[in-house]
């Protein structure tokens, strides 16, 4: 007898080896004749700690269902970000509604200097050394969306040079012929 009541997700949508973290769970109450009906919304961030991260939002009448839906959405909406060693390539700032985020690269050994949703997104993306500041709204949803917006704007040096029609110059090491 098969008692599996798990929803089957196509293999193309599942990204294995991802970590998930719940950022926030909100409760909403609808007053009806018989009392209050509660519904829940959850914000989840998923990432592989190697340059891929996604954010998902889910709503349901139960907390566990909302978290499951949000996790599925986060894995479906993953983006690849360029990393320069263990940090981001250059400073960037972004805004989503009232939430503003400033993210700057940092030297090795600094760690992640950020709090709340910004820290979780950067950790799950695989960034290990970065300075970040969240300004404006304290709403976790807006802060996470501003962070995702900022890191989705990041491009590699090769992509910038390709847009300009230039080729990256590699440093050529001079070889000396030493014969004894």
């Amino acid at each position: 007898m098969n008692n599996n009541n798990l929803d089957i997700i196509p293999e193309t949508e599942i990204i294995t080896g991802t970590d998930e973290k719940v950022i926030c769970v909100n409760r909403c109450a609808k007053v009806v004749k018989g009392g209050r009906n509660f519904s829940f919304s959850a914000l989840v961030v998923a990432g592989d700690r190697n340059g891929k991260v996604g954010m998902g939002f889910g709503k349901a009448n139960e907390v566990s269902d909302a978290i499951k839906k949000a996790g599925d959405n986060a894995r479906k909406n993953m983006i690849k970000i360029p990393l320069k060693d263990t940090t981001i390539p250059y400073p960037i700032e972004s805004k989503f509604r009232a939430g503003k985020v400033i993210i700057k690269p940092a030297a090795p050994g600094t760690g992640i200097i950020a709090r709340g949703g910004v820290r979780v997104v950067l950790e799950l993306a695989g960034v290990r050394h970065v300075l970040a500041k969240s300004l404006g709204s304290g709403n976790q949803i807006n802060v996470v969306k501003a962070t995702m917006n900022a890191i989705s704007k990041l491009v590699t040096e090769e992509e910038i040079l390709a847009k300009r029609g230039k080729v990256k110059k590699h440093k050529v090491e001079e070889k000396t012929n030493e014969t004894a």
Side-chain angles (χ1 to χ4, degrees), residues 43 55 57 93-102 118 133-153:
L43 179 67
M55 179 209 69
F57 192 73
E93 62 182 66
S94 181
K95 186 176 178 180
F96 181 82
R97 296 190 180 168
K100 183 178 178 183
V101 173
I102 300 170
V118 181
K133 181 66 180 171
S134 170
L135 303 169
S137 175
N139 182 341
Q140 289 297 315
I141 297 168
N142 288 345
V143 170
V144 169
K145 286 186 177 183
T147 306
M148 290 296 293
N149 190 14
I151 61 175
S152 68
K153 290 180 186 175

Side-chain angles (χ1 to χ4, degrees), residues 106-118:
T110 305
I112 299 176
I113 310 295
R115 66 175 272 282
V118 181

Side-chain angles (χ1 to χ4, degrees), residues 30-68:
K30 177 182 176 184
V31 179
V32 294
K33 186 177 179 182
R36 293 187 186 104
N37 287 345
F38 293 109
S39 63
F40 299 91
S41 63
L43 179 67
V44 173
V45 175
D48 66 353
R49 299 182 190 268
N50 197 21
K52 283 188 178 179
V53 67
M55 179 209 69
F57 192 73
K59 294 180 181 180
N61 290 330
E62 298 292 329
V63 175
S64 60
D65 293 340
I67 291 172
K68 184 179 181 305

Side-chain angles (χ1 to χ4, degrees), residues 12 32 34 38 50 52 66 68 73 76-77 81 85 89 104 106 117 122 131 147 160 168-170 172:
T12 57
V32 294
F38 293 109
N50 197 21
K52 283 188 178 179
K68 184 179 181 305
N73 287 337
K76 288 178 190 174
N77 299 323
I81 65 164
D85 297 326
K104 298 179 181 180
L122 294 173
L131 303 169
T147 306
I160 293 170
K168 183 177 179 181
K169 294 180 182 177
H170 296 284
V172 179

